[in-house]
Amino acid sequence: MTEELVTLETAKLLKDKGFNWKCEHLIDRNKVITKYDLPQSMSCCTEIDGEPVEFLCPTLYIAQKWLRETKKLHVEVSYMYGDYWIYDILTIPNHDLVGLSDRPLVHYKSYEEALEAGIQETLKLI
């Protein structure tokens, strides 16, 4: 089983919100993913003229855990009758439902698609 990595869009949002946990993967602006034997930190990411061209690329699980532990927000993914997935964003510890008020209800085809979308929305809310 392989862990799903975040997309370039999510990696950029994570960087903007302060994510700096060590990762085995980096993704560049051409969506090329590089794997390293030793986990890397943000300081190893290449910049050109002050603009990042590489980003830390964690797994979806690590991004979800970072949101829980540092921002106290949990992305919860649920399977729905009709063979689709949805997500909700909950506060920790109060379990309040949060989210963008104009978010359309999207039926995702996989758990991972729903989790990625939920992580992106959560990052936009921070």
Side-chain angles (χ1 to χ4, degrees):
M1 181 176 153
T2 59
E3 292 263 1
E4 295 288 325
L5 300 172
V6 301
T7 62
L8 176 59
E9 180 182 356
T10 303
K12 287 179 179 181
L13 288 168
L14 282 163
K15 180 187 183 313
D16 289 345
K17 303 305 178 177
F19 178 83
N20 195 21
W21 285 10
K22 291 192 174 192
C23 295
E24 292 179 348
H25 296 87
L26 297 180
I27 187 169
D28 70 20
R29 59 184 174 193
N30 295 317
K31 300 182 182 177
V32 174
I33 296 172
T34 304
K35 183 177 185 329
Y36 292 89
D37 292 332
L38 296 172
Q40 306 292 306
S41 63
M42 191 62 73
S43 62
C44 76
C45 296
T46 307
E47 290 190 5
I48 297 176
D49 296 329
E51 289 293 316
V53 294
E54 286 183 317
F55 303 88
L56 294 174
C57 188
T59 63
L60 289 171
Y61 169 77
I62 292 298
Q64 182 186 37
K65 182 176 181 176
W66 180 80
L67 287 168
R68 279 194 315 269
E69 292 186 4
T70 65
K71 305 300 181 183
K72 303 299 182 202
L73 293 168
H74 173 63
V75 180
E76 179 178 85
V77 177
S78 300
Y79 178 75
M80 304 302 288
Y81 178 79
D83 199 25
Y84 64 92
W85 301 84
I86 62 168
Y87 69 85
D88 287 309
I89 302 166
L90 304 165
T91 61
I92 298 172
N94 297 338
H95 201 262
D96 294 328
L97 187 62
V98 296
L100 300 173
S101 60
D102 60 348
R103 175 181 64 158
L105 180 61
V106 178
H107 297 176
Y108 296 95
K109 295 178 184 176
S110 72
Y111 178 94
E112 291 78 14
E113 283 181 28
L115 181 55
E116 178 97 26
I119 290 168
Q120 286 183 7
E121 182 177 340
T122 304
L123 291 166
K124 291 173 185 175
L125 291 169
I126 298 172

